[in-house]
Amino acid sequence: EFYKPPVYVTGISRNGGEIEIPVNNLLLSNEENNISIYFTGISFRNRGKLSFEYMLNDADWMPINSNPLRFESLKTGTYEVQIKAISRDGLESEKPLRFKVEVAPQFYETWWFIGLLIFTFAALGLGLIRYLYSERQRIILEDTVEEKTYELNLKIEELHRSNQDLKQFAYV
């Protein structure tokens, strides 16, 4: 029976500062999106002769040329990191080391901020529509008042003339 070399995390640093090794998930803020993963493999038959590969989010296995494995400028999202050891005999780790790295979104990428923007623009749009409608109504009202005032002035003038005509006939 051949020994399949296991892989262990020996340390993790975030933006250059060492942090506690997470049990399952590593949560990062958007500003802390650079990580280094220090690891080791154990092989009693081929001491120091292990090679390592990693996989990020079901991509192809990639060889690791240096320890630590570095990920820089990770974008917002969840990543699954897997690391496996390969012995000189070609035996791979039975279970690759696996954990998740989650990079939190910027505040402007969150659902509540987008909802707030939609609400704000909807409120501004409705406010503008109400303002334009009331302006239109005000103009219509001013035109109506002006028209009615003109008509009233004409009637007053007509009544004034009629009154003068009556006064002329009254003195005759």
Side-chain angles (χ1 to χ4, degrees):
E1 182 175 312
F2 292 100
Y3 183 72
K4 297 180 179 182
V7 181
Y8 299 99
V9 173
T10 58
I12 295 179
S13 66
R14 171 178 57 203
N15 285 5
E18 200 168 313
I19 61 170
E20 191 175 310
I21 298 171
V23 176
N24 290 325
N25 296 342
L26 174 61
L27 301 173
L28 303 173
S29 72
N30 202 279
E31 294 80 30
E32 302 172 320
N33 58 358
N34 299 315
I35 61 168
S36 298
I37 304 167
Y38 299 85
F39 57 90
T40 189
I42 298 175
S43 175
F44 299 112
R45 289 188 64 205
N46 300 311
R47 227 186 232 166
K49 305 277 189 198
L50 294 176
S51 61
F52 297 91
E53 293 183 349
Y54 78 95
M55 180 191 301
L56 186 65
N57 287 349
D58 296 326
D60 293 333
W61 286 100
M62 302 292 293
I64 300 173
N65 299 321
S66 65
N67 192 350
L69 175 60
R70 297 180 200 282
F71 295 103
E72 297 181 354
S73 301
L74 289 171
K75 304 275 186 237
T76 298
T78 302
Y79 302 89
E80 182 179 49
V81 179
Q82 295 183 58
I83 301 173
K84 68 180 177 181
I86 304 169
S87 71
R88 189 174 64 191
D89 301 329
L91 293 173
E92 297 181 359
S93 302
E94 194 170 327
K95 289 184 180 177
L97 170 70
R98 146 186 301 195
F99 63 93
K100 290 189 188 258
V101 176
E102 186 175 340
V103 180
Q106 292 279 6
F107 75 92
Y108 54 81
E109 297 173 319
T110 59
W111 65 266
W112 59 264
F113 182 78
I114 293 169
L116 183 64
L117 277 180
I118 290 170
F119 175 77
T120 301
F121 283 116
L124 285 173
L126 287 173
L128 180 62
I129 289 170
R130 280 188 74 184
Y131 171 76
L132 293 174
Y133 179 76
S134 66
E135 257 321 279
R136 184 170 170 251
Q137 291 300 98
R138 185 186 61 77
I139 290 170
I140 290 171
L141 183 61
E142 281 180 359
D143 289 348
T144 304
V145 167
E146 195 174 303
E147 182 183 322
K148 295 295 180 188
T149 303
Y150 177 75
E151 289 174 7
L152 190 60
N153 283 337
L154 284 178
K155 288 198 182 223
I156 289 173
E157 204 174 291
E158 186 181 317
L159 282 172
H160 212 228
R161 265 187 264 125
S162 295
N163 195 17
Q164 283 186 347
D165 288 345
L166 282 174
K167 282 183 182 178
Q168 272 182 347
F169 289 120
Y171 292 114
V172 176

